[in-house]
Amino acid sequence: TLEIAPEHREEARRTLAELTQASRAEPGCILYIAHESQQEPGKFMIYEQYKDQAAVDAHRASAHFQQLAAGRLYKLISSRAVENFTVLA
């Protein structure tokens, strides 16, 4: 989840739209969906699923991730929480 200050929300929405499109095109990406809370505008959640750890690593090393996430989105965040889960079945 990401918290974005009001003055940066539109830029965050645009950046997430670009990041979503680019990430979905990765060969190892199964699912990539960005959400914004209906109850708390400016609170975003990204749900990502990859075929394996190598695909996750490739995503994080990609040019679009470096440009859009590390280079743009992360600079807009006021707080961030990351949780990783393992598929059970």
Side-chain angles (χ1 to χ4, degrees):
T1 58
L2 315 169
E3 299 276 345
I4 307 289
E7 65 271 18
H8 299 300
R9 289 179 188 160
E10 280 306 314
E11 183 178 355
R13 289 179 189 111
R14 287 190 304 273
T15 301
L16 282 166
E18 290 180 63
L19 185 58
T20 297
Q21 182 178 7
S23 298
R24 287 178 179 173
E26 296 172 18
C29 180
I30 296 169
L31 192 62
Y32 193 102
I33 306 172
H35 303 77
E36 185 172 7
S37 172
Q38 294 178 3
Q39 292 75 30
E40 298 178 60
K43 183 176 185 178
F44 296 86
M45 189 270 293
I46 304 169
Y47 179 82
E48 305 171 62
Q49 189 176 8
Y50 297 89
K51 70 177 184 176
D52 55 25
Q53 187 60 47
V56 173
D57 296 341
H59 167 68
R60 292 179 181 152
S62 70
H64 61 266
F65 181 88
Q66 294 304 314
Q67 176 192 3
L68 298 169
R72 199 183 310 166
L73 185 63
Y74 288 0
K75 295 176 182 180
L76 306 175
I77 296 171
S78 54
S79 72
R80 178 175 173 231
V82 176
E83 291 185 71
N84 296 303
F85 293 83
T86 300
V87 175
L88 298 179

